[in-house]
Amino acid sequence: MTNTTTFDSYLEFRIDRSQALTPGKKLELVNQLLTEARQGRVPVGRDKVAHLPVDNPSVQAVLAGEPVSMGKSRVEARPSGMGSVTSALGQVQDLSTGARLGLMIGVMLVFGLIGFLGIRFLGGASSAPTVDPTETAAQAASQSQPDSTPFGGVVLNDTDPADKPSDPASIQIGATSFVLGRGDVDDGAWEPTQAEWLEDTQVRRVIAIPEEMLEDPIRLDDVLRVRIRSGISIPYRVVEITEVQRTQIEVLSSLEPSLVVILFDETAASSRQVVIARLDQQEMGVSPESHAYLVSSPAGEANLRNAPFGDIVGVLKNGTVVEVQIDIEPVNEGGYKWLRVQTSYGAEGWIASRLLAEIDL
Amino acid sequence: MKRTGWMFILVLGVLSAVSGAHAREQAVRVEVSAFIDSNGDKLMSRGEGLESAAVLLTVGDHTQVKTLKAGKAVFSLPYAEVEEVRVEIPYLALGDETRPRDGIAQVKFRLAAPELPVYLP
């Protein structure tokens, strides 16, 4: 795949993701991609981006189109800009097959070199290019976040990951995802060096992140996503950000589904900043309560109608469980309050509320 | 003799109809408990029950959702619909299946307390 098609497919993916259907929206999106590219976010697949350390002089040289030495050969990066890409493509179509092949190999070499330079010259975990494998097309389609959320990188981890299906694999904070190692307590001390999840903390999940690795500050009401090993993404909403004494280990426990993120550093400071977030049930797609009722009619059965006081579409025996569709407003008609319900076998209709009994706890 | 036999069959029929109707009306309770066994006694003690976690009960194709309060959630279903029930706590990726006996099914989820450090990292 050439880099032109990589960009095209990535642009297509971003258009799908943000539902940019009008020319104006598409133009906005192209501008956004250019801005991201200037910040070093380069598409490397349909739904993947790599981070290039743009501050590095070698990478700057390549991006600026300056000649770069590759042994005896000299390679010059293509000038940037959409217009130049279009005109270059026009020229390519006029070439013979052999010349096109040669040109294609040359282009691939240049971009291979960009990747190589990014990795080789800058070294170090914090500046190495990062690819976000968690941003797949399917997840992007299901994300409720607006497209303005920039793609971030992944902060990798070389400690052992957790292994059970319910154990956290990574945490996404803003645009950055931290792969989590499995932390444990030794002689009463937990001493993470990278992002870690404290083993066996399942109800309140306890995660420690090196403060220096946090690019953007966490704010109240932010949604932090923990991805567990079974592949489920669990959203938590930030409800408290506070400074606590390091001996205040009560912040590590709760009986409610929640998350605590401890921002640690190498200093021996007596306090730490902690972020507490609660499970966002709605965001997770689990309704907090069902609205199930039993049919309970003096006649032993009740009519299911296609509208309040409308035609009978079914007869429900006493004891049948129906789910009230709470998103549809009840209707007062003929002296009765009518509720829209659905049975366990999928039939839908209207029923008079006085013929229903709340399931007794 | 023939008349007595017919009477016997009639009485049996009435009795079975009554008990059948009773069975249809009887509700089955599904009691779910979930707790962190902080004191290690394997029982749900005061202050150990989980709060606010959603519990899913599935019977056939029908699913109900309740929220744990003080570690408990109770579902009630018509007897005729209950053969095997599946209970899940999606947040913890926990689940169990059981068959009600004598109108009651109990499902217990016990979590071991995690080992915490004596100070924050």
Side-chain angles (χ1 to χ4, degrees):
Chain A
M1 181 186 281
T2 68
N3 285 284
T4 302
T5 55
T6 301
F7 178 81
D8 286 346
S9 61
Y10 178 69
L11 177 62
E12 204 173 86
F13 162 66
R14 290 291 296 268
I15 288 172
D16 284 349
R17 183 171 177 255
S18 59
Q19 293 292 299
L21 300 176
T22 62
K25 291 276 181 195
K26 284 180 182 171
L27 188 60
E28 265 179 40
L29 193 57
V30 169
N31 284 334
Q32 189 180 333
L33 294 192
L34 286 173
T35 308
E36 287 177 14
R38 282 187 205 105
Q39 292 165 354
R41 296 188 178 108
V42 181
V44 292
R46 179 179 152 71
D47 55 355
K48 291 183 175 64
V49 287
H51 275 203
L52 288 180
V54 286
D55 297 335
N56 183 273
S58 304
V59 174
Q60 282 175 353
V62 173
L63 293 176
E66 291 169 14
V68 176
S69 173
M70 272 183 63
K72 289 181 181 177
S73 316
R74 281 171 69 82
V75 180
E76 195 162 343
R78 292 184 305 174
S80 60
M82 298 295 287
S84 57
V85 168
T86 312
S87 72
L89 281 176
Q91 288 169 24
V92 166
Q93 280 166 1
D94 296 335
L95 295 175
S96 66
T97 309
R100 280 189 208 176
L101 192 62
L103 186 62
M104 204 184 292
I105 293 169
V107 169
M108 288 172 74
L109 272 175
V110 169
F111 279 84
L113 179 66
I114 292 174
F116 173 76
L117 286 173
I119 298 168
R120 184 72 184 86
F121 288 114
L122 293 181
S126 59
S127 59
T130 52
V131 178
D132 188 349
T134 59
E135 283 283 357
T136 65
Q139 283 165 347
S142 66
Q143 274 184 347
S144 57
Q145 292 174 351
D147 187 65
S148 58
T149 305
F151 277 92
V154 169
V155 179
L156 298 174
N157 200 317
D158 58 10
T159 56
D160 288 340
D163 50 10
K164 285 184 281 189
S166 60
D167 290 349
S170 67
I171 181 170
Q172 184 181 337
I173 300 176
T176 308
S177 288
F178 295 86
V179 174
L180 298 169
R182 183 181 53 200
D184 57 3
V185 176
D186 188 17
D187 278 341
W190 176 28
E191 294 172 337
T193 53
Q194 303 174 58
E196 278 189 5
W197 163 71
L198 182 58
E199 194 170 29
D200 295 333
T201 55
Q202 293 286 3
V203 179
R204 168 161 284 181
R205 294 187 162 116
V206 178
I207 289 172
I209 305 253
E211 192 167 14
E212 62 182 12
M213 292 180 120
L214 206 61
E215 283 186 12
D216 303 311
I218 301 174
R219 297 182 183 87
L220 283 176
D221 218 34
D222 279 357
V223 173
L224 313 180
R225 286 182 181 276
V226 171
R227 292 186 166 87
I228 61 175
R229 291 294 304 267
S230 65
I232 297 171
S233 163
I234 300 180
Y236 295 89
R237 195 166 289 279
V238 175
V239 293
E240 190 178 350
I241 301 170
T242 185
E243 193 93 2
V244 299
Q245 294 297 307
R246 291 179 69 184
T247 51
Q248 287 181 255
I249 56 171
E250 60 271 24
V251 297
L252 307 179
S253 302
S254 173
L255 293 168
E256 281 187 45
S258 53
L259 169 76
V260 60
V261 178
I262 304 158
L263 302 176
F264 69 93
D265 56 38
E266 295 299 315
T267 67
S270 61
S271 64
R272 289 282 185 254
Q273 191 177 43
V274 297
V275 176
I276 294 169
R278 283 210 193 103
L279 174 66
D280 192 328
Q281 304 259 24
Q282 281 188 330
E283 184 93 4
M284 198 179 172
V286 177
S287 167
E289 287 282 350
S290 65
H291 300 271
Y293 289 78
L294 291 177
V295 174
S296 176
S297 164
E301 59 189 30
N303 293 327
L304 187 68
R305 298 172 185 270
N306 66 353
F309 254 134
D311 295 336
I312 296 171
V313 293
V315 177
L316 305 177
K317 300 276 184 201
N318 275 5
T320 305
V321 176
V322 294
E323 185 87 11
V324 174
Q325 295 173 283
I326 55 164
D327 51 333
I328 298 177
E329 284 285 316
V331 173
N332 289 309
E333 181 89 34
Y336 298 100
K337 182 181 179 185
W338 296 87
L339 301 172
R340 178 80 179 176
V341 299
Q342 185 175 34
T343 66
S344 56
Y345 50 88
E348 291 185 24
W350 295 83
I351 194 166
S353 64
R354 68 183 187 90
L355 304 179
L356 297 177
E358 196 166 3
I359 290 178
D360 183 25
L361 295 183
Chain B
M1 184 65 190
K2 195 174 178 184
R3 193 173 173 180
T4 314
W6 277 112
M7 284 288 284
F8 179 68
I9 290 169
L10 186 65
V11 169
L12 266 183
V14 169
L15 279 177
S16 93
V18 168
S19 67
H22 177 70
R24 276 197 301 276
E25 287 167 12
Q26 185 184 0
V28 163
R29 283 168 70 85
V30 180
E31 299 175 356
V32 182
S33 59
F35 62 101
I36 297 176
D37 191 12
S38 302
N39 59 10
D41 65 356
K42 296 189 167 52
L43 301 171
M44 186 166 79
S45 310
R46 182 183 289 269
E48 290 185 338
L50 301 192
E51 297 282 355
S52 308
V55 183
L56 268 61
L57 173 78
T58 306
V59 183
D61 295 332
H62 183 69
T63 300
Q64 280 194 51
V65 184
K66 296 275 178 195
T67 304
L68 286 169
K69 292 184 181 81
K72 287 184 180 173
V74 180
F75 296 87
S76 184
L77 290 170
Y79 185 79
E81 291 196 19
V82 180
E83 288 179 359
E84 189 165 70
V85 297
R86 175 163 178 77
V87 178
E88 290 170 84
I89 303 180
Y91 175 71
L92 297 169
L94 293 174
D96 198 6
E97 284 181 344
T98 186
R99 283 174 182 271
R101 285 187 182 174
D102 301 325
I104 290 187
Q106 290 180 318
V107 178
K108 187 166 82 171
F109 296 106
R110 173 183 170 271
L111 299 167
E115 185 183 3
L116 300 179
V118 295
Y119 56 90
L120 303 185

